[in-house]
Amino acid sequence: MAMLRRTTSVLTVFNFLLEANNSVVVMAEPHVRPAPAAFRAEVWKHFGFQCKEGTTDIDRSHAVCKLCQGKVKYSGNTTNLRAHLARHHSDTQLNEQQAKRVDSSQLTLAQVQTHKLPTTSTRATKITQSVVYFICKDMRPLSVVENEGFRYMVQTMEPRYTIPSRQHITDIAVPNLYKEVKTNVLECLALAEKVALTCDAWTSRATESYVTLTVHHITDEWKLESCVLQTRAMYDSHTGENIAALLKEAVAEWRLNIKDPVLVTDNAANMHVAAELAGMSHIRCFAHSLNLASQKALKVPSVDRLLGRVRRVTAFFRRSTIASQQLKQNQLLLKLPKHRLITDVVTRWNSSYDMVDRFLEQQPAICAALLSTEVRKSEKDIFTLTDADITCAEAVLKALKPMKDATLVMSEESMPTVSIIAPLYAKLVTGTEEHLDDTQTVKSIKAAIAKDLGKRYAGDEQDILRMASALDPRFKDLPFLSEAEANDIYFKITDAVVDDLTKQQNQQGEVESPMEETGWSEEVDQPNYEDGPVSTQSPSKRPRSSCALADLLGPTFASTKNNATPKSAHYTATAEVKRFREEPPLPLPENPLSWWKFHEHEYPHLSKVAKRFLCIPGTSVSSERVFSSAGDIVNAQRSVLKPEHVDQLVFLHKNLKIK
């Protein structure tokens, strides 16, 4: 009996401890009632509830296991119940799908990761947009979304994302982004006071001809902005009439009719005709003019012969691996830059300059490589340059260096370049004057450059270039012109300001009366000692000195104010131009746009004219740079792109800004 009591006592303590730890209480076959019908979890097949002692009410504080009669604490979820089954009845198999669920309204981490994002969700839309950005900015093929490596990379980063098809990217995603960016460009152009266009033609790998237009303007913050407008397929011949029609359509589409755009192109005659037919002022690309003049210089017999010899040596090193290896070894021994030799491109004169310059830089290593035993064993006919050739090469570089420097200066896109043309042109023309120490080759080079440059830039085109230089605070003194020529340019600038003021007055309607315009009012400004125009005090309390001053000078100054006349547009324009000419010139390294931003309020009317001229690019380099990008876009993988897709991809590549 004592043993039984001891066992019962131990059992009671054990049950109490288990209850306190939310664990199982072994009961002597309690009556278990099934869980309510609302409890649909799979686990309730193995659990029920017990009635409260002495009542028929269900005790939901604990669930009773039907397998072992254990009592488990129930807190409104099935976590403790599942833990009990896993710990004591591992052989019991629950429904797999239900076993993975913690709650009927929640998903596990694995389920979340495998759940696909809706294509219209914010996350999926953002990823699709980034894919389109990647294709446009990095000039990737549209078919990249079908590449195995790309798909693997995207799926690794976001398994829930469904990669769109190539057709979706081509027909929906890219056009939508194009419309969005085009709207932004239109809004920016609407705020611009004046714009300038550049235009050039190019041929794709698929031998389709395109014409690309770029636009340039100065923002309210005095920053030079450039955008690609369009790239249109040109199926007709490139006559002036056809190009003029394309220009007119572009001006209408981009709402530039009232901007009075200036067109910058190469020196082709059809472009000049197109500008005239389109009613635009025309500026010839100065970089193209420099190229034409330099090409004339390179055709001088002695220079042409020198280029042929240098070209022969560079070509030898390009095809001979032994000579190339010897060149690298000698560069290391002689401590020369590890540069490769350059072979020029006939259509670009600066490549010929770079070829000769690189040859002279590497000339010691070249000679050592050509005299090496390894090279002489493999090559029997080795060509070298003489000392006279080296001297001629040095003279050619010295004569052409100003042309090279001018080309680099004109290739700048963040600063105004049209204002540089007139002073550069004058410097290059005067710089071709012969000197006593010039060799015959140098004299021939200078003569060829002077003859070709001298026939360019005259008439209205010359006036635009000189006016742009006058409005650039770096060149405002116009030292390359005579005093009479400089005064004539500033007279034309004054007329331009007057025209702007007149148009502004016409837009505002009828001109106000002189009294209203100058701010004088007979009622207000006429001395009135009874009312006191400048004091609310009564006459008896007003200071006597004020009355005396009004008695002495009031009629005189009142008469002066009443007879004042408004300043005419010509007077205002002349005064601003005069003050501008008296300003000290800006140092050459400084940015003229920053100067105008700081002085805009001092010259409110002249600054508008400055924007009109300084936004003009001096070259069509911006259009030509599109060709390089377009060549990467219309490549072998995308040679069958439709013209409208080429237009969209080129437009987005140049205008798309990563947010």
Side-chain angles (χ1 to χ4, degrees), residues 193-230:
E193 294 183 9
K194 297 293 179 182
V195 300
L197 302 175
T198 66
C199 175
D200 217 332
W202 55 280
T203 303
S204 70
R205 180 185 292 267
T207 65
E208 289 185 331
S209 181
Y210 292 90
V211 175
T212 296
L213 265 71
T214 64
V215 65
H216 311 262
H217 65 95
I218 296 176
T219 66
D220 292 338
E221 296 297 320
W222 287 91
K223 292 183 179 180
L224 192 61
E225 293 284 346
S226 301
C227 298
V228 172
L229 285 187
Q230 62 186 41

Side-chain angles (χ1 to χ4, degrees), residues 116-373:
K116 291 297 182 181
L117 289 171
T119 56
T120 56
S121 66
T122 303
R123 174 69 173 161
T125 303
K126 190 68 176 178
I127 297 176
T128 301
Q129 187 183 54
S130 68
V131 171
V132 179
Y133 273 51
F134 162 71
I135 291 173
C136 296
K137 293 301 291 184
D138 293 353
M139 296 177 290
R140 299 293 93 195
L142 295 172
S143 60
V144 70
V145 294
E146 299 175 347
N147 293 352
E148 182 179 355
F150 177 81
R151 298 182 70 88
Y152 175 76
M153 177 186 67
V154 174
Q155 288 299 317
T156 301
M157 293 187 292
E158 180 51 273
R160 299 176 298 162
Y161 176 67
T162 302
I163 301 176
S165 65
R166 173 182 178 177
Q167 199 69 27
H168 177 84
I169 295 292
T170 305
D171 297 338
I172 299 176
V174 171
N176 287 344
L177 185 59
Y178 171 80
K179 292 177 182 177
E180 178 184 341
V181 178
K182 183 177 180 179
T183 301
N184 296 336
V185 173
L186 282 170
E187 292 175 355
C188 292
L189 294 179
L191 300 175
E193 294 183 9
K194 297 293 179 182
V195 300
L197 302 175
T198 66
C199 175
D200 217 332
W202 55 280
T203 303
S204 70
R205 180 185 292 267
T207 65
E208 289 185 331
S209 181
Y210 292 90
V211 175
T212 296
L213 265 71
T214 64
V215 65
H216 311 262
H217 65 95
I218 296 176
T219 66
D220 292 338
E221 296 297 320
W222 287 91
K223 292 183 179 180
L224 192 61
E225 293 284 346
S226 301
C227 298
V228 172
L229 285 187
Q230 62 186 41
T231 301
R232 294 287 188 267
M234 195 82 175
Y235 300 110
D236 300 324
S237 58
H238 290 195
T239 62
E241 292 79 6
N242 292 334
I243 297 177
L246 186 145
L247 291 174
K248 291 179 181 178
E249 292 176 1
V251 168
E253 178 181 350
W254 294 93
R255 305 168 193 169
L256 303 176
N257 307 75
I258 61 174
K259 306 295 183 182
D260 192 22
V262 176
L263 182 65
V264 181
T265 70
D266 57 24
N267 288 256
N270 61 338
M271 289 297 185
H272 184 71
V273 173
E276 287 185 349
L277 294 177
M280 300 180 184
S281 299
H282 182 231
I283 300 294
R284 283 173 287 186
C285 170
F286 191 58
H288 192 257
S289 298
L290 292 176
N291 182 60
L292 294 176
S294 301
Q295 292 286 2
K296 295 288 185 182
L298 296 181
K299 291 180 181 178
V300 171
S302 57
V303 178
D304 187 44
R305 183 169 56 254
L306 171 69
L307 293 177
R309 295 185 175 188
V310 175
R311 199 178 293 123
R312 182 174 175 181
V313 174
T314 59
F316 169 73
F317 278 93
R318 287 177 65 88
R319 72 171 184 269
S320 174
T321 55
I322 296 177
S324 178
Q325 187 62 30
Q326 285 295 315
L327 177 64
K328 293 178 181 178
Q329 293 178 5
N330 283 285
Q331 286 174 339
L332 184 62
L333 292 174
L334 297 171
K335 297 181 179 180
L336 292 174
K338 297 179 181 180
H339 294 159
R340 296 184 62 184
L341 299 183
I342 298 173
T343 301
D344 61 346
V345 179
V346 179
T347 56
R348 297 189 178 275
W349 81 270
N350 53 333
S351 65
S352 299
Y353 181 96
D354 293 337
M355 178 181 70
V356 177
D357 187 33
R358 180 63 56 82
F359 179 87
L360 291 179
E361 176 195 84
Q362 300 293 330
Q363 194 259 340
I366 292 173
C367 290
L370 293 176
L371 293 174
S372 64
T373 306

